[in-house]
Amino acid sequence: MIPILIGVTFLTFTLFNLVGGDPAIRFAGKHATVERVAEIRAELGLDRSVGEQYLFFVKQIVTFDYGRSWATKQEISTMITDGLGATLSLTVPSFVASVAFCILLALFAVYGRGTILDRGTVVVCLGLLSVSSLVYILALQYVLAFQGGLFPISGWDPSWTGRWEYLVLPWIILFVLSLGPNILIYRTVIMDEVFQDYVRTARAKGLAEKHVFAKHVLKNAMIPIITVVVIEMPVLITGSVLIENFFGIPGLGGTVIKALNDSDFPVIKAFTVISAMAYMIFNLLADVLYSAVDPRVKLS
Amino acid sequence: MALSKAYPARQFRPRGQTATFVQVLLAGAVAIALAITGCTKKRFDENDNSLNLVLRANVKGLDPISANDLYSSTVIAQMYEGLLEYNYLKRPFTLQPALAEAMPEVSKDGLTYTFKIKKGVKFHDNAAFKDGKGREITAQDFIYSWKRLADPRNASEGFWIFDGKIKGLNEWAQMVKAEKANYDTPVEGLTATDSNTLVVKLTGVYHQLPFVLAMPFASIVPKEAVEKYGKEFLNNPVGTGPFVLEKPTDWVRNSKITLKKNPSYRPATYPTEGAPGDAEKGLLADAGKQVPFIDKLVFNEIVEDQPRWQNGLKGNFDWFDIPKDNFENAVKDNKIAPELGAKGMALDVTPALDVTYIGFNMTDKELGKNKLLRQAISKAFDSKTYIQKFLNGRGVAAQGPIPPGVDAYDDVYKNPNAEFDLAKAKELLAKAGFPEGKGAPELTYEALSDATARQGAEFFAQSMAAIGIKVKINSNTWPQFQEKIKGQKAQIFGIAWGADYPDAQNFFQLFYSKNKTPGPNDSSFTNLEFDKLYEESLKLPAGEERTKLYRKLRDIVADESPWVFNAHRLGYRLVHGWVGNFKWTEVANDYPKYIRIDAKKRAELGSKL
């Protein structure tokens, strides 16, 4: 894990220095002067050598202290924890619902493969996929919230009891957005199992088709399914910037986009490292789950 | 269909089963959704006179020395005050005392300003003070606050308002940097002769001083709170303003800020005089009454157009801008659409006090030296069509840098190089040495990466193609864009300037050679005659003589064409029928204290929205 982390820090640092723009110019403001820019460069530590700056970054990672944002002067740890709470309450419920629902639907589609139902599912999924996510957001917000009055148009309540009201419509949209790609991919993964020898054997020994699916196909399909789920998991943290912005959810996605637009390097650094760590943890989690669903896989 | 063909069909088709399952799931999801949201909330409370506003971007912090963007400074201006403020109704914009007892006494040489501070004004109650009770303000508070603005460790974007202007302040800042001075070290130009007399000594004549003193940067902050909260002061605002942030949690980051009326706000009244026509509009009904009228003020932060617009139409915001995409539905023949008018909404159109322009890099070897080429480009660009296409007609074709609403604006003046004329443009291009565009260099236009900016860039490229000049377009993120301009690496760029204060000087400084990039002179325009006249204009107070000089400055800029003058934008917003005393002010941010909300009317009209 350490080498990956070093790679990530190195890449982030290099990329930011190459294309990030000059933060000192950004923060000197519209009435900047050459002296002011130099002062700010010193204030931000940008006048130090590249090596020193990199070491400072590494120190921040080790101590988990990223200091304050250059743009907002807010404590970065607070920005991240504030944003993370909002983002997770947006993404986790719809993610879990979507994974469960899509796997089930994919199972049924494969179970009835070649039928109208299966073909219909594929067509609908392709249809869902081919529409831009912005269209869903614009249309559902307009129809269900503005016209229908079923949900608030946008807004946020930081309390755990009050925030749900604002989250239902974003959940529905995230859920709908995930249907197309998820069902198709789970269907393919499960379909691959159906033609394996062990399935034929199971059928040959006279096992009922539903038992073949529940006991054999699903179990064996779990390995690729876990892989797919884990690959998608970082989205839980990065969230969906569009949905956050349209529904006024103060999540991490918006924070990161703003940081990028502001050359706010400390925030970008913190976020990249946290995402990288999360990614590694999810991968570890996947390995653990593999061994749980398949005794042949052993953690060494 | 290819996907299913790859696999053989099964004979057994459990169609019924699957459908039932899906139906159950969907029904369940809908039921849960309805259960959670089904209990519809009451729309508007008849006794709630709160003002609900919306900001297009997120607020960063609430420290006056960081009030560098419109949104943060708007919120800051509700809690903090300075010596002077703008009269809410008068146009042209007129300053009046805020924390000062009266307008300053200015010495004959214009170098010394003496302010008497109002007695009995108190800071908001806060744990930073003894017993939690707000202390009375003194002249020392101004000295402390302005030193804070100058302190290089605070890296404030607002220091330019005093940079090089107040005797000894820059030197003090340098000493602080070298750790040879602190806040107790005196500054020659900032003295308090007694607790309510502040004497400001200038290094040179600075007629814009009163204007900058009305900016949130120059507001006062109490030393006790700055010291108590340290770096967290930006989340714990303590000022003298009409509204207070009662507790830090009333600010939900990136979502909304809820402020309450300051119960011990200083005596401050609604203006008794206004601009012509204000009395007829009922804007003087509250003349002389104590402000603020509302008990609660909420700033919502919404970055996307659609939710801002829809919430506005539903009455969740008391007034709101009209986004580009909704303009056709909201405004017909420059009047509010009848169906919106029938709901009690009114249309407000106010100049935005800005100028959008296409800047040339004057250090560029092709553009910088060839005035005729610049003039040809300027004449080939049709700003009127641009305004129709990209601003829905919400703008005035700019003839120079000064927007309508600023003192020296001349509404009859026509800039000979800004008038669109293709034949003339071609003629100028031939004179510049490129007949029919032959031999003309390919130009590079730097644009931001959003759709509107890109389309605008393409419009520019098409306009240039019409006279035979090729234009390459580069898309940039905001940091890249800024770095190119500030590093003199951009050849041509589309950008805008908004007024800091309503004085033409704020626009002419954009051409002063000493302000060249990274300063505000993004074109790095350098012209000795302009510099000389500009420096002369700085020495003059507002008046006919200065206006004459401003006209000369304008003529130089028009002739040299370092910019293609594009548009002065007009702000279009819808105001609900329950809002009283509404008069949009572009430079002052303290308007909420003058607004009245008719809560009964809101409950009645709002239920129909």
Side-chain angles (χ1 to χ4, degrees), chain B residues 283-298:
Chain B
L283 281 169
L284 283 167
D286 279 322
K289 290 187 186 152
Q290 174 70 30
V291 293
F293 301 115
I294 52 167
D295 294 312
K296 194 169 101 179
L297 169 60
V298 186

Side-chain angles (χ1 to χ4, degrees), chain B residues 360-376:
Chain B
F360 299 128
N361 177 356
M362 295 295 284
T363 64
D364 181 81
K365 59 182 188 319
E366 302 284 355
L367 286 167
K369 296 202 177 83
N370 201 335
K371 180 164 97 179
L372 289 165
L373 174 61
R374 296 195 301 270
Q375 289 177 343

Side-chain angles (χ1 to χ4, degrees), chain B residues 96 109 187 280 303 325 436 439:
Chain B
Q96 65 185 29
D109 59 5
V187 167
E280 290 75 13
V303 296
D325 294 339
E436 306 285 311

Side-chain angles (χ1 to χ4, degrees), chain A residues 21 25 27 29-32 36 68 72 74 101 111 113 138 141 146 150-151 154 191 195 246 250 258 263, chain B residues 7 10 14 25 37 58 60 156-157 160 232 234-235 253-254 306-307 311 314 479 483 498 500 518-519:
Chain A
I25 283 176
F27 300 115
K30 58 181 202 171
H31 290 272
R36 204 82 196 122
R68 282 177 183 264
T72 65
Q74 298 286 354
F101 177 79
Y111 192 66
R113 61 191 170 278
L138 287 171
Q141 184 171 49
F146 179 66
L150 290 172
F151 307 98
S154 74
M191 195 72 93
F195 301 100
F246 270 89
K258 265 177 280 166
S263 297
Chain B
Y7 303 102
R10 265 173 37 79
L25 258 186
T37 57
N58 298 125
K60 293 174 175 171
S156 168
E157 280 186 33
W160 65 270
E232 278 299 300
L234 83 169
N235 295 323
R253 298 289 181 290
N254 303 330
Q306 171 163 304
N311 271 308
K314 287 280 178 201
E483 194 177 21
D500 293 302

Side-chain angles (χ1 to χ4, degrees), chain B residues 111 165-171 187-190 201-203:
Chain B
L111 295 178
K165 310 284 191 200
I166 294 177
K167 261 191 188 162
L169 189 59
N170 282 58
E171 291 77 3
V187 167
E188 191 194 341
L190 293 175
K201 288 198 181 114
L202 301 174
T203 55

Side-chain angles (χ1 to χ4, degrees), chain A residues 11-293:
Chain A
L11 255 177
T12 314
F13 189 79
T14 316
L15 277 177
F16 186 81
N17 278 298
L18 283 178
V19 296
D22 184 347
I25 283 176
R26 164 72 188 76
F27 300 115
K30 58 181 202 171
H31 290 272
T33 58
V34 178
E35 302 84 59
R36 204 82 196 122
V37 173
E39 263 176 30
I40 288 171
R41 199 165 277 143
E43 200 60 40
L44 301 180
L46 293 167
D47 55 344
R48 286 181 277 173
S49 73
V50 177
E52 268 180 278
Q53 289 184 50
Y54 183 69
L55 278 180
F56 181 65
F57 181 16
V58 173
K59 193 185 123 203
Q60 288 181 319
I61 297 165
V62 176
T63 57
F64 279 103
D65 179 10
Y66 292 92
R68 282 177 183 264
S69 150
W70 287 350
T72 65
K73 300 193 175 142
Q74 298 286 354
E75 190 88 53
I76 291 174
S77 50
T78 320
M79 288 169 79
I80 302 255
T81 42
D82 279 359
L84 199 61
T87 295
L88 291 180
S89 17
L90 167 67
T91 54
V92 171
S94 54
F95 185 80
V96 172
S98 161
V99 168
F101 177 79
C102 292
I103 291 176
L104 267 175
L105 202 68
L107 268 176
F108 278 106
V110 176
Y111 192 66
R113 61 191 170 278
T115 61
I116 298 278
L117 191 91
D118 177 35
R119 287 165 191 231
T121 306
V122 173
V123 171
V124 170
C125 285
L126 286 174
L128 283 170
L129 255 177
S130 53
V131 180
S132 145
S133 57
L134 190 61
V135 174
Y136 291 99
I137 297 173
L138 287 171
L140 290 174
Q141 184 171 49
Y142 181 79
V143 175
L144 297 180
F146 179 66
Q147 291 284 4
L150 290 172
F151 307 98
I153 296 161
S154 74
W156 184 248
D157 183 333
S159 74
W160 283 99
T161 45
R163 66 176 59 174
W164 312 116
E165 177 193 353
Y166 297 102
L167 282 166
V168 179
L169 183 54
W171 282 341
I172 293 176
I173 294 177
L174 268 184
F175 182 78
V176 172
L177 279 175
S178 68
L179 288 182
N182 276 358
I183 292 173
L184 286 182
I185 199 153
Y186 294 134
R187 182 184 168 279
T188 311
V189 159
I190 296 168
M191 195 72 93
D192 277 343
E193 295 297 324
V194 175
F195 301 100
Q196 300 288 333
D197 289 345
Y198 70 86
V199 177
R200 200 172 45 213
T201 313
R203 285 200 190 116
K205 69 183 179 191
L207 210 56
E209 189 67 14
K210 49 185 171 186
H211 288 128
V212 174
F213 263 76
K215 293 214 165 148
H216 295 277
V217 175
L218 181 60
K219 216 168 180 182
N220 280 285
M222 275 328 268
I223 296 254
I225 286 174
I226 288 170
T227 312
V228 173
V229 171
V230 168
I231 288 173
E232 285 181 1
M233 269 183 147
V235 178
L236 292 179
I237 292 173
T238 51
S240 162
V241 181
L242 274 181
I243 291 198
E244 283 179 13
N245 284 348
F246 270 89
F247 291 97
I249 298 166
L252 265 191
T255 306
V256 175
I257 293 296
K258 265 177 280 166
L260 285 170
N261 282 331
D262 278 341
S263 297
D264 197 348
F265 195 26
V267 177
I268 298 169
K269 283 194 287 194
F271 185 76
T272 328
V273 170
I274 287 168
S275 315
M277 283 180 167
Y279 195 74
M280 290 187 285
I281 291 168
F282 290 143
N283 268 307
L284 191 69
L285 184 75
D287 290 342
V288 173
L289 287 175
Y290 288 155
S291 67
V293 297

